[in-house]
Amino acid sequence: MALTVPSRSRGTDSAAPGARRPGELPPVHAALICVALPGLAISPEDGQLTGQGLEGFYQSGRRLLSRCQLRVARREPVAVQGRLVSADRARFLSVVRTAADSGPDPEITVERLRHADGTERITLRSSAGRTRRLPVEIALGTDLADLGAVAAGRTGPELPASVHDSGMRWATATAHVVVTAHPPPEDALASAGLLCWELELEPGGSCSIELRIGADRPPRPPGQSGSHPLAPARAEGDDPRAEKLLRSALDDLRALLVRDPRHPVDMYPVAGVPWRCGFAPAEMLWAARMTLPLGTRLAAAVLRTLARTQLPGPGPDAGRVPGPLRDSGPHLPPGCSGMEATLLLPTLLAEARRWGMPEQEVAELLPAAERALNWLRAAAGDGGLLRDAGPGGLQRGETQAHAHRAALLGAALLEECGRPGGDDWREWAGVLRRRFQQEFWVEDRGGGRPAAARTPEGRLVPHLGSGVAHLLDTGLLGAGQLAPGLLDKVQTEQLARLLGGPAMDSGWGLRSLGAKEPGYNPFGHRGGAVRVHESAVAFAGLAAAGYEKEASSLLRGVLDAADAFGYRLPEMYAGEQRTEAGVPLPHPAACRPAAVASAAGIHLLATLAGIRPDAPAGTVALHPVSCAPLGAIQFSGLRVAGEPFAVRVSRLGLGMVEEAAGGLQLGV
């Protein structure tokens, strides 16, 4: 289910009143989005689907139903509450007052349970002391438009309906949809898409109508099958928000899983709903990496899927994972997400092996990691610094961090799997580290900062953004050790101070661009908004480097934001400074749910326990956050070496293994 977002363009505003300009997406921050891919249901808070904006039921990227409006006793129910019950289901409650009601209290309630798979159950309940006969009408309509066309405002009029069996049918030359109702309606009016009933409610009684949307029974979502790849972990402790965030993150990630159509045994997460339901290599890898404490099955599936996309050789692109360009904020040109994905591939395989990926799977995937490393060697050469492809030749700071981590973890992977090249990669990483410390540091009166990028002429781009958090993400080596980073001790301390300062820490998480930087926009995708993924990377990196005060502030900020968002974290939200009585501001175009945001919630919580396994060596080390920012916490249902793993962290920050695979020894 792919969506091409309308391109952004500049020009005169000649659109009709109320029409969206090119590049303008309909807002989704207030929508309730049920997800169980390939199914979606996007609803307003009152539950009445009017066909406005993105409202409707979708299947595989096509809007099957855009309008579903309920009337009871010839009037619209009064909305009381709409909320998500789970990732794939929403509940809408409303009340109806009729002319027969003698007082101010409504006697009829209406509950609508809406599922992403294309079903809805409408239940009327009566509290009246007498039998009530109520006319019920449901007005239906659709345009059978693609999601991309809906997003761009290019849908056209509703299609004419025809009465079909116990419901309605709509058709075009290429698609059709049928809505069936149970019990069958007593009357149906095709010209208005109207289904009608006369329901009798006994005192204290109830009646239900069930709608089913689709030509055939929809395929079972991969994340709801018994074979989903993420373990059902639990978090219990002093702060009840931890369990709520973990449960919601797991629920959303499972809902975002799709199957590789040519290799249906492999599942991978799409980037996010509703805009990014297509193939997104970097986001797939980040989500798999951040959920390694829940098992290695997702990592294996993602790696197999991406290995099949690596460009063949010979040539300079051999081994590279293709990926689209993406926005890099106001100071840098768009960057290639495929480059990041290529560098993440060997990193994920190396770390998945530490967490217990079976050696047979590692051996099957090792050639893909070697191809990615060979591409890195060809692209960077012996000089170490990796440039963007194309005429610009920009050297990005975070790209160097990804390359350095891939080289060091790749070296250990090759060496431990009996493959040549480990020493060469360590030497290459050492050259990169020395050059980076010398050539990527901007001296200023505040103590300096790492540059965001370096131009081919050697000019440093000094703007401070969340991409620098990747300099602290070094990766897991053997025996519970982390790989060395690109920065020296003094530079790391200065970066921690910057990330913990008010210019970067909004109080709700890490800004993607510092508040004092030119071009800062609290709603800027990479120009000031809080991106949950990079907040989690910064938290983990700061905690591992020993800067727990700065790390804990980011953790508490994101957790408080999660509470405000009902524990379904969007991919980003506004970077406005937190105030005493404030709440985080949603970004109207943010994906929610989003794979990396959901995975980041899991990564934030797992970092508290500091689990560092080395399954091939039969050891696991614990390095919990010693200040215990959420108090005592216990994780169960994790996976290390393919077996259940449980760990407890006390209020004093002391970690203890409660359950582990037989033969797994506690390291240091």
Side-chain angles (χ1 to χ4, degrees):
M1 185 167 75
L3 166 64
T4 301
V5 175
S7 60
R8 302 186 184 276
S9 62
R10 296 179 180 178
T12 57
D13 187 358
S14 59
R20 292 197 297 276
R21 294 184 297 274
E24 184 180 358
L25 298 174
V28 293
H29 60 284
L32 297 179
I33 303 180
C34 305
V35 189
L37 295 180
L40 290 175
I42 304 177
S43 313
E45 291 180 327
D46 64 1
Q48 293 278 51
L49 300 181
T50 65
Q52 300 298 309
L54 291 179
E55 292 176 12
F57 285 90
Y58 295 80
Q59 190 77 30
S60 300
R62 183 181 296 277
R63 182 155 68 177
L64 299 186
L65 195 69
S66 58
R67 190 162 55 88
C68 184
Q69 294 173 281
L70 173 69
R71 286 171 58 90
V72 179
R74 297 182 174 81
R75 64 184 67 188
E76 285 201 13
V78 177
V80 175
Q81 184 188 69
R83 66 183 182 90
L84 289 173
V85 178
S86 60
D88 66 330
R89 188 166 50 128
R91 177 179 184 263
F92 305 94
L93 192 69
S94 56
V95 296
V96 177
R97 292 196 73 255
T98 70
D101 292 334
S102 58
D105 301 331
E107 295 180 334
I108 306 297
T109 60
V110 182
E111 179 189 63
R112 303 174 74 169
L113 288 177
R114 182 168 294 159
H115 294 251
D117 66 2
T119 59
E120 179 167 336
R121 176 177 286 271
I122 302 168
T123 302
L124 283 71
R125 296 184 175 89
S126 173
S127 299
R130 61 197 180 284
T131 298
R132 303 289 296 272
R133 292 189 64 84
L134 298 172
V136 175
E137 302 172 346
I138 302 177
L140 306 172
T142 187
D143 47 26
L144 287 176
D146 289 334
L147 179 55
V150 178
R154 297 184 282 100
T155 58
E158 283 189 356
L159 299 171
S162 60
V163 176
H164 179 83
D165 195 13
S166 59
M168 293 282 174
R169 185 179 189 273
W170 298 261
T172 68
T174 58
H176 76 279
V177 62
V178 174
V179 176
T180 57
H182 181 79
E186 297 167 19
D187 195 10
L189 184 62
S191 61
L194 197 63
L195 305 179
C196 305
W197 294 260
E198 189 83 18
L199 299 183
E200 183 173 287
L201 289 176
E202 300 287 342
S206 65
C207 290
S208 294
I209 297 170
E210 182 171 303
L211 302 178
R212 182 171 293 278
I213 302 151
D216 302 295
R217 185 174 180 86
R220 190 179 187 187
Q224 294 186 353
S225 67
S227 61
H228 62 73
L230 298 172
R234 296 286 308 275
E236 301 173 274
D238 292 340
D239 194 327
R241 297 176 301 173
E243 169 63 16
K244 294 177 182 178
L245 177 58
L246 180 58
R247 184 170 60 246
S248 179
L250 267 169
D251 203 22
D252 283 340
L253 274 172
R254 289 169 179 162
L256 292 170
L257 292 175
V258 297
R259 294 189 186 275
D260 185 332
R262 296 186 179 181
H263 302 269
V265 70
D266 289 333
M267 291 181 257
Y268 61 85
V270 303
V273 170
W275 313 121
R276 305 184 64 206
C277 296
F279 200 73
E283 284 81 356
M284 291 160 55
L285 287 159
W286 274 113
R289 185 176 178 226
M290 287 182 158
T291 56
L292 282 173
L294 307 181
T296 63
R297 290 177 57 197
L298 181 60
V302 166
L303 288 167
R304 284 193 295 265
T305 301
L306 292 180
R308 293 189 282 266
T309 74
Q310 283 180 295
L311 297 176
D317 284 333
R320 181 170 64 83
V321 175
L325 292 176
R326 65 181 172 203
D327 176 63
S328 296
H331 302 294
L332 297 175
C336 179
S337 61
M339 181 180 291
E340 181 177 343
T342 307
L343 298 173
L344 272 169
L345 194 153
T347 293
L348 177 58
L349 180 58
E351 291 187 323
R353 182 173 178 269
R354 299 289 175 207
W355 281 91
M357 179 181 283
E359 290 296 336
Q360 181 179 349
E361 287 187 311
V362 174
E364 292 170 353
L365 290 164
L366 190 58
E370 290 181 302
R371 290 194 295 270
L373 290 170
N374 290 338
W375 170 84
L376 172 58
R377 174 78 76 183
D382 294 331
L385 294 175
L386 187 58
R387 300 177 183 272
D388 284 1
L394 195 71
Q395 297 167 336
R396 299 173 191 259
E398 64 183 272
T399 300
Q400 313 315 314
H402 299 324
H404 184 257
R405 183 182 58 222
L408 288 177
L409 271 63
L413 177 67
L414 294 174
E415 188 173 79
E416 294 175 22
C417 292
R419 301 292 295 166
D423 289 340
D424 290 341
W425 278 115
R426 290 190 188 90
E427 182 179 348
W428 184 92
V431 172
L432 174 58
R433 188 159 56 247
R434 289 189 293 274
R435 286 199 62 184
F436 190 89
Q437 292 173 9
Q438 295 166 3
E439 301 178 25
F440 264 80
W441 192 258
V442 180
E443 297 291 351
D444 59 30
R445 290 179 294 179
R449 61 176 65 184
R454 186 173 180 270
T455 69
E457 300 78 27
R459 182 178 64 84
L460 296 179
V461 181
H463 305 98
L464 184 65
S466 59
V468 297
H470 294 278
L471 299 174
L472 300 173
D473 177 19
T474 59
L476 181 63
L477 293 176
Q481 299 299 308
L482 298 180
L486 280 175
L487 301 179
D488 62 27
K489 183 177 180 181
V490 174
Q491 292 171 335
T492 300
E493 182 178 1
Q494 172 64 3
L495 178 56
R497 187 184 69 80
L498 292 171
L499 294 179
M504 290 298 294
D505 185 351
S506 70
W508 301 113
L510 192 71
R511 292 186 177 95
S512 53
L513 184 68
K516 297 180 180 180
E517 301 297 323
Y520 165 72
N521 172 5
F523 286 94
H525 187 178
R526 295 181 188 270
V530 172
R531 294 176 55 78
V532 179
H533 156 228
E534 285 173 333
S535 295
V537 170
F539 167 67
L542 288 167
Y547 299 97
E548 294 190 353
K549 177 183 176 182
E550 294 82 357
S552 298
S553 177
L554 292 177
L555 170 67
R556 294 190 184 100
V558 174
L559 195 58
D560 289 343
D563 185 33
F565 286 115
Y567 298 96
R568 172 179 268 186
L569 280 165
E571 63 173 326
M572 60 179 170
Y573 43 89
E576 289 277 7
Q577 186 61 44
R578 182 173 184 171
T579 58
E580 184 176 350
V583 293
L585 299 177
H587 192 296
C591 286
R592 181 168 175 256
V596 291
S598 298
I602 294 169
H603 188 53
L604 283 166
L605 297 173
T607 297
L608 292 171
I611 307 165
R612 300 184 190 174
D614 188 352
T619 66
V620 60
L622 296 182
H623 293 264
V625 179
S626 62
C627 66
L630 301 185
I633 190 167
Q634 178 173 326
F635 297 99
S636 59
L638 305 176
R639 292 290 185 273
V640 175
E643 298 292 335
F645 186 84
V647 61
R648 176 166 52 89
V649 181
S650 73
R651 295 185 183 94
L652 299 177
L654 301 176
M656 178 177 296
V657 174
E658 304 257 297
E659 182 182 14
L664 197 63
Q665 300 296 315
L666 186 63
V668 295

